[in-house]
Structure formats: structure tokens, C-alpha cells
Amino acid sequence: MSGMEMISADRLDEYVKRADCLLIDLRDRGEYEAGHIKNAVSMPFDDLLAHVCLPKNRLLVLYCDRGSMSMAQGKKLAAHGYRVVSVVGGMHAYRGKYLVK
């Protein structure tokens, strides 16, 4: 895979337990603490590109509230050589089994 792939929120569960993926929640910390996807790390939108230590050997799976922030950041990260998946619809559309509250 090169660049960025878009997936629907109902496919997010496929990535949760994969060792080759890093799930990144782009919402603010309060939203993350109120509920997030299992194994996801909190990296608010404004902080993400400051994390120059993001692993290039893992697939970055980005999600936000509705999908627009993850798409914007995903394009930037893909331009820097990262493999990225962005979740369309974000947490608003997620109905999977890995919600942590």
C-alpha cells in the first residue's frame, strides 16, 4: 500500500489487534478519555505532526470524531512517506466491539 487508504468505520475492528498497526485517536484528550478504541493512543490533531518518532514500519490507522481531521492528517503523513489508513465517519460512525469507556 502506498499513500493513504480510506476505510469505513465498520472495518476498524479489523485493525485493532494487528501488531503491524498503530491506532491513533486525533480527538482531544477529554474525548479520548470519555471513550476510545482499544489499543489506540491519544495524539490530538494539533500534536500529531510534532511526533517525529512515529514508526514508518507500521500502518498508521487514524480516526477522529467524524473523519475530516483524520483525512487531512493522513494526507500530510502519507506525503512524508507513512502508510496511513483514515477512518471515514470516525468515532461518530463506529459501532464495533472495541470501544473502551
Side-chain angles (χ1 to χ4, degrees), residues 16-70:
V16 171
K17 292 188 177 183
R18 285 181 43 179
D20 66 328
C21 295
L22 176 61
L23 275 69
I24 300 174
D25 188 320
L26 297 173
R27 300 171 305 147
D28 67 43
R29 297 215 193 278
E31 290 172 308
Y32 173 84
E33 290 170 6
H36 59 274
I37 306 302
K38 181 180 179 176
N39 299 330
V41 296
S42 175
M43 288 187 200
F45 179 79
D46 294 333
D47 297 341
L48 184 63
L49 288 179
H51 290 78
V52 293
C53 60
L54 288 170
K56 287 203 173 181
N57 65 338
R58 292 176 76 188
L59 178 63
L60 304 181
V61 181
L62 308 179
Y63 70 89
C64 59
D65 185 45
R66 297 188 181 265
S68 59
M69 287 189 300
S70 62

